Amino acid sequence: MAQQELTVGGAGRLMSAWTYTLIPAAAVVLGAAIATWRRPGPAFTAAVQHFAAGVVFAAAAGELLPDIKHRESVWAIIVGGTTGILLMLLIRRLGEMSKSTLGLVVMVAVDIFIDGLVLGIGFAAGPKQGFLLTVALTIEILFLGLSLTPELSEAIQRPTKVIAVVAGLAILLPIGAALGIPVSHLPNFWIAAFFSFGLIALLYLVTEELLVEAHSAPEKPWVTSLFFVGFLLILLLDELTG
């Protein structure tokens, strides 16, 4: 009976964690809806990118990195980190080769799925880590919806179809999270490996996607400062939820 109660309790915690992943999934659809109504200008886009980059960077460094260090498994870090680097470079290469609308949709689908996987890994690290990563990835994926919609609108003329496509892609986020959350039940080696993979994926998102695109347009000091505002926001939430 005690074992059964423990299993039910564990399933309840997993379901509660999985429910949180619906928040960024809804955010990408919201971003798409906003972009179909009014396309964001370069200054606003750069501001959101800087803010999202700061939030994601702080969440990666503050929530996943300490857990990796506490695992004290060098080979797990090498395996997980190397896998993350190779996969991110492969995704980048495929993105450069795919210029069609279908290629864009496929690349965004992979990106969203990995975001979900990382979010699930965050909840495997602990409820607080999962919550803070939810905040970070919600802001990041909101921007993804804002930026993806104008490109899709060039090939798909009807706004309702564009939003429907984005909503279909958003489903991949909770699916990825459902695969990442059970990581906490794996042996310590694989937990450290998955955490290392998640850390690399988030750092790649910051350095090779968000900040690269953010610097493609002329910047104002207040736009650049939003990176640090986002970083400090996660540090503040970390203290308040500690």
Side-chain angles (χ1 to χ4, degrees):
M1 179 64 70
Q3 180 65 35
Q4 183 178 4
E5 290 177 356
L6 179 61
T7 302
V8 173
R13 287 192 295 271
L14 289 178
M15 181 58 67
S16 177
W18 184 83
T19 303
Y20 272 98
T21 68
L22 299 179
I23 299 174
V28 69
V29 179
L30 175 63
I34 294 174
T36 57
W37 170 61
R38 183 174 182 179
R39 185 168 183 168
F44 177 80
T45 299
V48 174
Q49 288 169 326
H50 276 89
F51 184 74
V55 167
V56 174
F57 185 80
E63 304 309 319
L64 288 183
L65 183 58
D67 280 283
I68 294 172
K69 294 173 63 178
H70 291 157
R71 299 289 170 178
E72 298 182 352
S73 181
V74 175
W75 283 107
I77 294 173
I78 293 174
V79 171
T82 302
T83 301
I85 293 171
L86 293 177
L87 182 59
M88 295 304 108
L89 292 177
L90 176 61
I91 292 174
R92 178 175 180 174
R93 179 58 179 166
L94 293 176
E96 294 172 349
M97 296 171 59
S98 303
K99 301 300 182 182
S100 63
T101 302
L102 178 60
L104 173 64
V105 171
V106 171
M107 294 310 303
V108 171
V110 173
D111 193 0
I112 290 177
F113 177 80
I114 292 178
D115 281 351
L117 182 62
V118 171
L119 190 55
I121 292 172
F123 276 105
K128 187 181 77 170
Q129 290 89 334
F131 169 73
L132 292 176
L133 280 173
T134 298
V135 174
L137 290 178
T138 295
I139 297 172
E140 179 265 325
I141 208 166
L142 173 64
F143 163 75
L144 182 62
L146 289 170
S147 61
L148 173 64
T149 300
E151 297 185 51
L152 287 179
S153 298
E154 296 178 1
I156 306 173
Q157 300 299 321
R158 295 180 59 182
T160 53
K161 287 187 176 181
V162 172
I163 296 176
V165 170
V166 175
L169 294 175
I171 297 175
L172 293 172
L173 200 144
I175 292 176
L179 296 177
I181 292 173
V183 165
S184 60
H185 300 292
L186 295 177
N188 187 67
F189 177 91
W190 293 109
I191 293 176
F194 272 102
F195 285 179
S196 300
F197 169 82
L199 178 65
I200 293 298
L202 290 176
L203 292 180
Y204 178 88
L205 172 64
V206 172
T207 59
E208 297 297 324
E209 292 187 9
L210 290 172
L211 289 181
V212 169
E213 294 182 18
H215 291 307
S216 63
E219 297 179 25
K220 296 181 179 180
W222 72 269
V223 173
T224 303
S225 68
L226 288 178
F227 173 87
F228 304 100
V229 172
F231 189 93
L232 292 174
L233 173 64
I234 292 300
L235 294 184
L236 179 61
L237 285 177
D238 193 6
E239 289 297 323
L240 293 176
T241 57

